[in-house]
Amino acid sequence: MLDRALGHLVEEIVEHPDEVQVVSSDGQRGELLEVTVHPDDLGRVIGRGGRTAKALRSVIGALAGGRRVRVDIVDQDA
């Protein structure tokens, strides 16, 4: 459910919503959500000074209801 919520939020931010992918996996330290977007949209998702990314992490953390969730934004060029 968290991956779909995060995908929906990110799709509303970017200019290429059809290229948004959210992959969920469980690790030792909780759930990991990896967000991949079109390279031109990476700056939009991160935001100035990381504000947008921080806000996305806050919303997903609130939806998680106390579970550990980590949101990573993947840079495809790296």
Side-chain angles (χ1 to χ4, degrees):
M1 179 199 88
L2 293 175
D3 54 343
R4 288 185 290 157
L6 180 59
H8 180 70
L9 290 170
V10 173
E11 285 173 0
E12 296 301 318
I13 296 171
V14 299
E15 289 187 15
H16 305 280
D18 52 320
E19 295 193 34
V20 172
Q21 286 185 316
V22 179
V23 178
S24 175
S25 61
D26 289 321
Q28 290 177 315
R29 294 189 273 171
E31 187 175 359
L32 170 64
L33 300 173
E34 291 184 328
V35 180
T36 307
V37 296
H38 188 277
D40 293 342
D41 291 326
L42 191 59
R44 287 180 175 271
V45 175
I46 294 172
R48 184 171 294 186
R51 289 182 187 166
T52 305
K54 185 176 179 180
L56 289 169
R57 289 181 177 114
S58 295
V59 169
I60 295 302
L63 290 174
R67 296 183 323 215
R68 290 181 179 252
V69 178
R70 194 170 92 205
V71 176
D72 284 347
I73 300 165
V74 179
D75 184 1
Q76 294 177 336
D77 294 336

